[in-house]
Amino acid sequence: MFAFAIRSLAQGVLVLVTVAFIAFSMFRFVGDPVVNMLGQEATQQDRQELTERLGLNDPWPIQFARFLGDAAQGEFGVSYRQGRKVSDLIKERLPATLELAVLSAIFATGLGVLLGVYAAINRTGILSNLIMSLSLIGVSLPTFLIGIGLIYIFAVELRWLPSFGRGEVVRLGWWSTGLLTESGRKSLILPVLTLGFFQLTLIMRLVRAEMLEVMRADFIRFARARGISDRSIELSHALRNTLIPVVTIAGLQLGSVIAFAIVTETVFQWPGLGALFVNAVQFADVPVMSAYLMFVAAVFVIVNLTVDLLYFILDPRLRSGRRVAKGH
Amino acid sequence: MTTFRKSLWLALIASTFAVGVAEARTLKWARSGDSLTLDPHAQNEGPTHTLSHQIYEPLIIRDHTGKQLPALATSWKVTSDPTVWEFKLRTGVKFHDGAEFDADDVVFSLERAMQPTSDMKGLLTSIEKVSKVDAHTVHIKTKAPNPLLPNNLGDLFMMDKGWSEKNNVTKVQDFKNKEENFAVRNANGTGAFMLVSREPDVKTVLKRNDNYWGKSEVPLEITEVVYTPIKADATRVAALLSGEVDFVQDLPVQDIERLRKDNKLRVNSGPENRTIFFGFNIGDKDLKSDNVEGKNPFADVRVRQAMNMVVNRQAIQRVVMRGESVPTGVIAPPFVNGWTKELDTPPAVDVAAAKKLMADAGYPNGFSVTLHCPNDRYVNDEAICQAAVGMWGQLGIKVNLVSQSKSIHFTLIQKQPPESDFYMLGWGVPTFDSDYIFSFLYHTRAGSRGSWNATRYTNPEVDTMIQSLSGETDLAKRNATIAKIWSILHKDVVYIPLHHQTLAYGMKSDLDIPVDVSNQPKLKMISFKRS
């Protein structure tokens, strides 16, 4: 397992460098940051000077090499848009995104598994059918529409929940959390629902389908023959065997929830990394864009690694397979 | 009643009275983008100046109509030497940290704004030297007579020399350095509001400066300002509708009608200092993006006239802009010196006459060309271009529309030589004088002039006249030259002006914030309606 982890890590680094390479080769098409950094009175000469100062005149392989060198030391430069250190910006925005993503993932996985199991066991019930029909909405409606719809109902019409921002946050060292204040918790509800809704329906439908599959398997029939109670079969035998693909999907989805909360963050003016990235793209703020893309790549590498490791715990065959291999 | 009780009652009454007077009024203010930095000389950009205007002050400020008012300078005049301006400074003004404002701060601030890394230096290129005469008098010597120098000082904010030295911000941020400048998130101005906290892109809190020098001159009723950028249009409007914000600075045009009908809200709209227009490559021998070999159709003034004539500005105003624009025939908003009603009147739409002009020019069946358009800069920019493309189609001109982000679009225009043959652009005039328009949009591209002129239009006669404007101290003569330049440019149809952009502010009905032509509302001027 140790060798496996090392190999995965090495692959991870390779992925990071590749992402950085591709990202860098594309930045030229985002536009020229100098245009945004100088006022309209700037002369041709001012622009050339600034381009020179920023090192944007160098061929991009050189810029790329410089970026890699700095990144290896944890140095991502200064944001062209805000004049602040990119590492500070990311550190400042990370808690908002992580809080949102983790809560959405918990919401989606918890409720998704629950509803999925219910829909699988009571296949013909009215409630199950209702759940399944509703889940179609979650799969088919775009996130921003769900977000705006929720804002309209709960913020504008009912005025129960805020329409934007994080509310009051409490600082714990460099971390900031909205969970400790009432306005912070209220502010979390709509973005979490919006971000988690798609994942929820996805996981639910997956659990239901897998569960139905497993329930037809031989070992379930034998378990029934042994006289084990239905409840025990469903929850311990069947569910456990259902979980392997669910963990894979849920893990990958967590990665994309962290990385691509962009839409939800924009709709709710959520001060996270996604919103930071959107602003950076519009300004052609290369240092922030490159750091963000590296961050996203890192998240996916870590999540994948964790998912791989989780298989060992969930699937005894992988462990025994290794033992057998060792025995030879 | 015992004396003790009596005094207790008195104290109680006194305290309620005090609370009554110092009524706390918070203004929750939202707009689509945040200020980029609090450093007043680091970015020459609208939203950045808007926030700075609440905290810092210039020597001369403009009110919402564009009229100049004394701020930190009480009077200004040209001395007997026409190249030297004298500014008398306001006395008794204190920075937020208590330091006295004087001539040293003015010299320091203007010199700071002229540094190579400053983004404000472009407005101060005419200055040779700033010098202190006494504690409250400053002389600005210009390289040549500059009768309009005060026009350029409206967004040049005064910093405290002592504070800047103490915090090591005597230099404007250099992006080459990998450190943040202290002035980016901290501020010490003389303005009506003081910075309490700043989280860029999230929230900025200001509180009223109770020692403000001008508190007897302005209402100054707002005690606290909470400024939040909200990028998504729908969310910004929702926040206003739900009462979470009091004042939204940029309303999307499609929502204005609906918000006007809400009696809890007020919508104020008015012209902005910005004109939208199309420019074409007039100068090249041949266009890269057209299908005419060896010739440039735009070089023929008849083609330009024809294209100008078929643009139905009223239809664009009605359909694309939902009534929120002012159709025009000139790239100068009404409050700019040099604007006239005749120039502003767009040509009548006449497709038949335009077709004849095209035929006379040798293009009876039109031609094809590429139009570059931004999609994230002006109000409904891409939709305007789409509408205009259809209108030119009536002449057989097949326009391929390329809409891109402003970061790419502006690069095409600024490159030398420019990389677009036909493009959309918008122009604001911070100096409120035609010279600014001529210098950037019409003068041949050379040196510091013509940097936004991607038309390759070059007219030596016009160039000479433009250059004469900056040194002309006789204002009547100067205005005559301006009128003459406009008449030549108008005849040459160098651009197709489309409309002046309109601004719409949304607010709760107990507020009445007038639209500021520079889109930089000054909150000290705002008073609440007593209900």
Side-chain angles (χ1 to χ4, degrees), chain A residues 91-126:
Chain A
K91 211 163 85 179
E92 207 173 273
R93 298 304 193 89
L94 186 63
T97 294
L98 275 190
E99 201 162 275
L100 177 64
V102 169
L103 286 177
S104 309
I106 292 173
F107 158 72
T109 325
L111 202 60
V113 170
L114 214 69
L115 291 177
V117 170
Y118 179 84
I121 296 172
N122 309 292
R123 222 175 347 149
T124 49
I126 297 171

Side-chain angles (χ1 to χ4, degrees), chain B residues 381-439:
Chain B
D381 37 18
E382 189 176 359
I384 295 171
C385 287
Q386 283 164 347
V389 165
M391 291 167 185
W392 290 315
Q394 293 168 293
L395 300 178
I397 302 174
K398 197 176 160 300
V399 181
N400 311 310
L401 178 59
V402 179
S403 315
Q404 314 174 92
S405 166
K406 58 178 192 241
S407 319
I408 304 170
H409 180 72
F410 288 154
T411 317
L412 301 177
I413 293 169
Q414 292 181 339
K415 279 251 177 75
Q416 183 57 14
E419 285 176 6
S420 176
D421 290 331
F422 193 23
Y423 57 91
M424 176 195 243
L425 193 61
W427 197 248
V429 191
T431 62
F432 291 73
D433 186 87
S434 291
D435 183 14
Y436 190 89
I437 307 164
F438 298 151
S439 291

Side-chain angles (χ1 to χ4, degrees), chain A residues 45-184:
Chain A
Q45 195 194 352
D46 294 339
R47 281 183 214 121
Q48 270 159 16
E49 274 171 21
L50 185 61
T51 311
E52 193 60 43
R53 270 214 306 281
L54 296 175
L56 295 172
N57 272 344
D58 302 335
W60 76 265
I62 292 179
Q63 292 186 42
F64 178 61
R66 194 165 46 213
F67 169 77
L68 276 191
D70 286 350
Q73 300 163 35
E75 172 68 73
F76 288 95
V78 168
S79 158
Y80 295 161
R81 196 171 87 90
Q82 300 194 346
R84 303 184 52 205
K85 283 179 80 114
V86 175
S87 43
D88 285 355
L89 285 175
I90 296 219
K91 211 163 85 179
E92 207 173 273
R93 298 304 193 89
L94 186 63
T97 294
L98 275 190
E99 201 162 275
L100 177 64
V102 169
L103 286 177
S104 309
I106 292 173
F107 158 72
T109 325
L111 202 60
V113 170
L114 214 69
L115 291 177
V117 170
Y118 179 84
I121 296 172
N122 309 292
R123 222 175 347 149
T124 49
I126 297 171
L127 195 59
S128 308
N129 279 318
L130 190 72
I131 294 170
M132 292 309 290
S133 329
L134 279 179
S135 75
L136 271 180
I137 299 177
V139 176
S140 49
L141 270 189
T143 314
F144 72 90
L145 213 62
I146 297 176
I148 289 172
L150 289 176
I151 289 178
Y152 182 72
I153 297 170
F154 292 102
V156 176
E157 289 298 319
L158 298 172
R159 303 208 174 184
W160 290 350
L161 298 169
S163 58
F164 72 94
R166 270 187 100 187
E168 292 295 318
V169 292
V170 176
R171 292 199 184 283
L172 308 165
W174 66 273
W175 189 266
S176 67
T177 177
L179 286 171
L180 299 176
T181 63
E182 202 203 333
S183 72

Side-chain angles (χ1 to χ4, degrees), chain A residues 208-280:
Chain A
R208 177 178 173 275
E210 280 294 320
M211 187 98 172
L212 289 176
E213 186 84 30
V214 173
M215 291 293 273
R216 279 196 293 269
D218 284 344
F219 76 95
I220 297 289
R221 216 176 297 159
F222 289 131
R224 275 193 213 285
R226 277 168 59 201
I228 298 171
S229 75
D230 276 359
R231 192 86 340 185
S232 175
I233 291 176
E234 285 156 1
L235 293 186
S236 109
H237 295 78
L239 183 59
R240 192 170 177 151
N241 282 284
T242 308
L243 281 183
I244 294 225
V246 175
V247 166
T248 316
I249 295 291
L252 289 177
Q253 290 296 327
L254 176 68
S256 59
V257 163
I258 295 174
F260 304 122
I262 295 176
V263 176
T264 308
E265 289 190 3
T266 311
V267 171
F268 290 96
Q269 191 62 31
W270 192 260
L273 290 170
L276 181 73
F277 180 66
V278 169
N279 282 327

Side-chain angles (χ1 to χ4, degrees), chain A residues 40-41 81 159 267 269, chain B residues 44 201 231 235 241 436 452:
Chain A
Q40 63 182 17
E41 288 92 4
R81 196 171 87 90
R159 303 208 174 184
V267 171
Q269 191 62 31
Chain B
N44 186 5
D201 283 343
K231 194 176 171 60
T235 315
L241 285 170
Y436 190 89
W452 288 87

Side-chain angles (χ1 to χ4, degrees), chain B residues 414-490:
Chain B
Q414 292 181 339
K415 279 251 177 75
Q416 183 57 14
E419 285 176 6
S420 176
D421 290 331
F422 193 23
Y423 57 91
M424 176 195 243
L425 193 61
W427 197 248
V429 191
T431 62
F432 291 73
D433 186 87
S434 291
D435 183 14
Y436 190 89
I437 307 164
F438 298 151
S439 291
F440 287 102
L441 296 179
Y442 289 100
H443 193 283
T444 306
R445 193 176 270 196
S448 63
R449 287 199 170 91
S451 54
W452 288 87
N453 175 8
T455 62
R456 293 82 152 171
Y457 175 72
T458 154
N459 186 334
E461 185 196 355
V462 168
D463 286 357
T464 323
M465 280 194 281
I466 295 174
Q467 286 156 24
S468 78
L469 289 177
S470 53
E472 182 56 65
T473 45
D474 180 347
L475 288 186
K477 203 170 151 206
R478 190 173 180 276
N479 286 341
T481 315
I482 288 177
K484 200 167 160 208
I485 299 175
W486 271 125
S487 79
I488 297 174
L489 295 175
H490 209 59

